Amino acid sequence: TVYEFFERLVSEGGSATRDLDALLATRPWICADDEHYHPHARVVAKYVPHLFGNRRGYWTEGARRYPALCEHFDIPRQVDSEQVVTFLNELAADVQGREDESPFETEPGLRRMLLNCYVELGERDAAVAPSLPIVLCTERGGDSPGRLRLMPAATRTLFRSDRPTLEALFEQAG
């Protein structure tokens, strides 16, 4: 297969490897477990849809069969906080340009994925920039009460509460 050829090529190294890097840099060339093609930067060698949903390709069989290819293209075998932060940065960039359309309506699993990413980061004591709009919140009052949104942690109008009574008082205040 073409992957066997690529595996042999990266194992041998040399100038052909640089050509391969340039050729495949941003192209969707990995046929993941779901039989969709993804660029290698968006592929993980472990099946973790609870974190990334369909925003990543999962190449579990490829990782087993082509270890040199995975190593050469930095396809991670395990998920670490760096990959979660990268994913959240990509998500924030995607969501920022879609103010009029809620990503939660077009991608129902997004809420659960975010919560799982928060857990991953919390367990590893990792942090993201407070200016990154990845805090999942529910809008209270305003034009769209109840709408899920992503906000930066540094937003001054973001109130954190685990007390429904307090939330109700803020909502009544406008």
Side-chain angles (χ1 to χ4, degrees):
T1 69
V2 70
Y3 297 120
E4 290 167 346
F5 173 74
F6 289 167
E7 175 80 2
R8 193 170 51 253
L9 195 64
V10 299
S11 294
E12 293 169 0
S15 63
T17 303
R18 285 190 299 278
D19 294 340
L20 184 65
D21 292 346
L23 178 68
L24 302 177
T26 59
R27 290 192 167 121
W29 62 276
I30 293 182
C31 184
D33 298 347
D34 64 358
E35 298 184 0
H36 289 94
Y37 285 87
H38 303 271
H40 62 267
R42 293 196 175 206
V43 172
V44 182
K46 183 176 181 176
Y47 188 67
V48 287
H50 67 284
L51 294 174
F52 307 133
N54 64 1
R55 290 176 174 254
R56 291 285 185 271
Y58 308 105
W59 204 35
T60 56
E61 183 64 19
R64 188 185 66 71
R65 294 177 63 188
Y66 312 112
L69 200 55
C70 289
E71 184 177 336
H72 179 79
F73 285 102
D74 295 322
I75 297 171
R77 292 182 174 278
Q78 298 295 323
V79 175
D80 63 20
S81 57
E82 183 180 330
Q83 282 123 21
V84 174
V85 169
T86 297
F87 170 74
L88 292 174
N89 276 297
E90 290 169 8
L91 181 63
D94 180 42
V95 169
Q96 279 180 327
R98 299 174 17 182
E99 278 299 315
D100 58 332
E101 178 185 303
S102 172
F104 301 101
E105 292 171 13
T106 58
E107 198 170 350
L110 186 55
R111 181 178 178 272
R112 178 65 56 199
M113 288 165 25
L114 278 166
L115 296 175
N116 288 327
C117 285
Y118 300 159
V119 169
E120 283 289 318
L121 293 178
E123 287 176 349
R124 292 180 164 89
D125 276 337
V128 296
S131 60
L132 192 66
I134 56 122
V135 176
L136 179 62
C137 24
T138 304
E139 191 169 326
R140 299 288 183 210
D143 296 334
S144 307
R147 178 181 178 209
L148 290 176
R149 296 183 55 184
L150 293 176
M151 304 285 291
T155 302
R156 291 180 185 219
T157 57
L158 179 64
F159 296 100
R160 296 157 186 89
S161 172
D162 60 355
R163 304 202 172 163
T165 306
L166 186 59
E167 281 185 32
L169 288 173
F170 276 122
E171 191 172 351
Q172 288 173 359

